[in-house]
Structure formats: structure tokens, C-alpha cells
Amino acid sequence: MTKLLLSIHVLASILVVGPIAVAASMFPRYARQTAGEDGHSVGATVLLHRICSGYAIVGVAVPVFGIATGAQLGVLTDAWLLTSIVLTTIAAAILALAILPGQERMIESAEAAAADGTGTGDGADTKRAAARLAGLTGVFNLLWAVVVVLMIVRPGSTTGA
């Protein structure tokens, strides 16, 4: 059972967190390009946001299977796992409370500007918002990288891995 839970946890991590990390990282670049009259950048930002928000919902499986695996292995009280849980919670909060709402605001702003034919409005505001979103996404990705390292190294583990 442990091997099955661990396999599902690792697969979910790769197949769910990976697309969020990539799509969220690409979003600011396309959001800055929304000034184009063809609407392709707005469409790209909408698609990238859908990927982020859709996979975020499915992403709940990652910690669920991770905690189940930790329970099976009897390591739920180990410092490396508790640290990983805290970092995962912080990453989820950044995604849910900052990245996704920031993407929504940028999409709404671009769609409103496109609808009234004025372009993107204040380009400086768009650039600042995109830079802030890029920074938040970088922190999100860095947190996941630290969690992956903790999962591999497992400080204090007696398995030698």
C-alpha cells in the first residue's frame, strides 16, 4: 500500500504542480503583451489562468496522498515532513490568495480595455502587476523546489537516502 500511495503522490506532484508552475510562470509575459490588437495574448492569458486554477483544484491530491504516505511510513512527526507540509501550505496560500486573483485582475483589465477599444490602459500599471505576479510565481516555484529537495534528502532519515 505504501508503494501505491507514494507512486500516486509523486505522479500527482509531477502532473499537477508542474503545469501550474509552468503556466503561472508564462502568464506574466503574455499579460504584458495584451496590448496587441489581435487578442491572442488575452486568449493566452485566459488559457494559462484556466490551467493554473483547474490544476490547483486537482492539486489537493498532492498533500492528501503525501500525508497518507507519511502515515503509512510512520514519519508524520519528522521535522522534514512537517517543514514540507508548512511550505506546501504557504505555496498553496500564495497560489490561491495572490497568484490566481492577480491573474484574474489582469485578465479583467485587459478584456475591459479591449472591449472599449482603448488598448491596455496604463502600460506601467500592467508592467508592475506582471512583475509582481512574476515575483510571486517565483516564490511559489522556489517553495516547491525546497519541498522536492526535502522529500529526496529527508534530513535525519535512517534509510540513508
Side-chain angles (χ1 to χ4, degrees):
M1 183 57 108
T2 303
K3 290 180 182 181
L4 175 65
L5 289 171
L6 181 59
S7 296
I8 293 170
H9 173 63
V10 170
L11 281 171
S13 299
I14 293 167
L15 298 175
V16 175
V17 177
I20 295 171
V22 172
S25 295
M26 292 173 61
F27 185 94
R29 181 181 131 217
Y30 284 96
R32 281 190 289 269
Q33 295 175 355
T34 56
E37 295 177 18
D38 57 7
H40 289 253
S41 294
V42 174
T45 58
V46 170
L47 175 64
L48 292 170
H49 175 66
R50 280 190 191 150
I51 291 169
C52 291
S53 58
Y55 277 76
I57 294 166
V58 179
V60 172
V62 175
V64 167
F65 282 101
I67 290 170
T69 302
Q72 281 289 123
L73 293 171
V75 295
L76 283 180
T77 58
D78 287 8
W80 64 270
L81 185 61
L82 294 173
T83 303
S84 295
I85 291 170
V86 168
L87 294 177
T88 298
T89 303
I90 293 168
I94 289 171
L95 179 65
L97 302 174
I99 294 174
L100 294 176
Q103 290 177 347
E104 289 171 6
R105 283 190 299 274
M106 291 190 76
I107 290 169
E108 288 169 2
S109 174
E111 287 176 341
D116 65 16
T118 62
T120 59
D122 187 0
D125 284 345
T126 300
K127 286 182 182 181
R128 275 193 299 274
R132 181 176 184 276
L133 207 49
L136 287 167
T137 301
V139 171
F140 173 82
N141 290 340
L142 181 62
L143 288 169
W144 278 111
V146 172
V147 169
V148 168
V149 170
L150 285 171
M151 293 290 140
I152 294 168
V153 175
R154 300 184 323 223
S157 171
T158 58
T159 63

